[in-house]
């Protein structure tokens, strides 16, 4: 098992892996946090393919082969467990042979074939609640993974569609999803997205990330998903919602204080 109820689960890294030069400073910062805060359980995250970009012209990232090489390097050099999202059933075995946890994107959380293939890898599975689902419906998503033999399941809320180009996180979600018997996570950076609202790319309001993350932990979430980048304005994806790397330590320390207070 990767999840440890005695530690705050933190899934953190850049949105797109982009390159090893982008990932190394992020891994350095996470390694410093891990050394300073043994109560953290950190997984390095990143996407090898941004398959659901708003525009077909958008940069999708490294691709599978280069992405897996980056993950292997991060694992070897820093010792981090790693997590990435998968989009097709046929990707699961190859990706699961390198990373420690597979992430099912929110748009794909009801895709039975993808869930079954992910479960078959033996990796931990982090499934994001679709923006179109209520938290009550996650029972059926986790049931699919359980029936497929998933060894470890995490449930992540990344907001629910609220009108046009806006998302809202219902803090009741963490109690509701916890009733399914699996840890819950707040995706604090995707929750502040304004999907497709910036002329063919997603906008965002990163100034609300700390408040959402802290509120979710206070409401009972077991972990936090955060995207961070050395220079978000130059990121190839989610430039408006990623946390500047220099701001990450103070944010994580505030999250630890809330997590400790709640427990």
């Amino acid at each position: 098992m990767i999840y440890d109820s005695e530690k705050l689960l933190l899934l953190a890294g850049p949105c797109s892996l982009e390159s090893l030069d982008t990932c190394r400073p992020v891994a350095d910062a996470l390694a410093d946090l891990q050394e300073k805060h043994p109560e953290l359980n950190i997984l390095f995250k990143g996407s090898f393919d941004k398959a659901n970009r708003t525009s077909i012209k958008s940069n999708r990232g490294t691709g599978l082969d280069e992405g897996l090489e980056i993950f292997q390097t991060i694992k070897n050099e820093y010792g981090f467990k790693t997590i990435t999202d998968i989009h097709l059933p046929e990707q699961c075995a190859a990706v699961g042979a390198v990373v420690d946890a597979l992430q099912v994107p929110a748009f794909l959380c009801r895709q039975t074939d993808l869930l079954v293939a992910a479960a078959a890898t033996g990796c931990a599975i982090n499934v994001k609640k679709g923006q179109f689902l209520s938290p009550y419906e996650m029972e059926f998503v986790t049931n699919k993974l359980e029936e497929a033999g998933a060894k470890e399941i995490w449930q992540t809320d990344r907001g629910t569609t609220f009108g046009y180009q806006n998302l809202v996180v219902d803090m009741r979600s963490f109690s509701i999803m916890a009733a399914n018997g699996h840890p819950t996570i707040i995706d604090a950076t995707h929750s502040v997205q304004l999907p497709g609202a910036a002329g063919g790319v997603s906008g965002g309001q990163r100034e609300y990330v700390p408040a959402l993350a802290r509120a979710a932990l206070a409401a009972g979430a077991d972990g936090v998903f955060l995207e961070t980048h050395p220079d978000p304005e130059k990121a190839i994806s989610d430039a408006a919602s990623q946390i500047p790397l220099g701001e990450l330590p103070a944010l994580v320390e505030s999250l630890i204080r809330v997590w400790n207070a709640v427990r």
Side-chain angles (χ1 to χ4, degrees):
M1 294 284 286
I2 296 175
Y3 175 70
D4 180 348
S5 62
E6 298 300 313
K7 295 185 176 184
L8 173 59
L9 184 61
L10 176 63
L11 314 182
C15 179
S16 169
L17 291 170
E18 295 189 16
S19 69
L20 193 54
D21 287 341
T22 297
C23 292
R24 272 208 174 101
V26 177
D28 287 337
L30 292 174
D32 288 344
L33 282 169
Q34 185 69 86
E35 183 177 4
K36 185 177 180 181
H37 301 288
E39 63 270 48
L40 288 174
N41 181 8
I42 299 176
L43 276 74
F44 182 91
K45 66 79 51 187
S47 297
F48 61 83
D49 181 14
K50 302 304 297 181
N52 60 351
R53 299 300 304 275
T54 302
S55 170
I56 196 169
K57 298 179 181 179
S58 296
N59 188 332
R60 289 178 55 168
T62 63
L64 179 61
D65 293 340
E66 183 181 348
L68 292 182
E69 288 178 6
I70 290 173
F71 278 122
Q72 193 63 64
T73 298
I74 294 296
K75 287 166 67 76
N76 292 344
E77 293 187 3
Y78 296 90
F80 282 125
K81 289 183 169 56
T82 54
I83 180 169
T84 193
D85 35 357
I86 34 86
H87 304 276
L88 300 168
E90 52 265 33
Q91 293 175 337
C92 293
V95 177
V98 175
V99 304
D100 303 279
L102 299 179
Q103 186 163 275
V104 178
F107 286 129
L108 301 177
C109 70
R110 290 180 57 168
Q111 295 296 105
T112 302
D113 291 344
L114 183 61
L115 295 170
V116 170
T121 65
C123 293
I125 308 299
N126 180 32
V127 58
K128 291 192 175 183
K129 181 187 75 63
Q131 301 94 322
F132 46 87
L133 291 184
S134 74
Y136 297 101
E137 293 166 90
M138 284 297 285
E139 173 188 358
F140 305 104
V141 175
T142 57
N143 281 349
K144 288 182 181 181
L145 288 166
E146 291 165 354
E147 290 294 323
K151 295 180 180 179
E152 185 170 2
I153 301 167
W154 310 333
Q155 308 165 91
T156 294
D157 193 347
R158 51 129 324 142
T160 300
T161 299
F162 184 77
Y164 293 129
Q165 299 175 323
N166 198 13
L167 299 165
V168 168
V169 178
D170 181 351
M171 292 298 161
R172 298 174 299 177
S173 295
F174 303 102
S175 294
I176 294 167
M177 294 193 300
N180 299 330
H182 304 288
T184 62
I185 299 168
I186 171 68
D187 179 345
T189 42
H190 284 109
S191 292
V192 301
Q193 277 188 336
L194 302 173
V201 297
S202 289
Q205 297 172 312
R206 72 165 60 89
E207 64 270 25
Y208 297 121
V209 168
L212 280 179
R214 291 192 288 259
L217 290 175
D222 302 293
V224 178
F225 175 107
L226 290 172
E227 292 187 332
T228 183
H229 192 283
D231 188 355
E233 299 308 322
K234 295 181 180 178
I236 69 169
S237 57
D238 289 4
S241 56
Q242 294 196 68
I243 294 297
L245 188 58
E247 298 177 12
L248 184 67
L251 172 57
V252 171
E253 288 167 5
S254 77
L255 300 181
I256 293 171
R257 290 194 294 271
V258 174
W259 183 77
N260 282 330
V262 170
R263 285 155 178 77

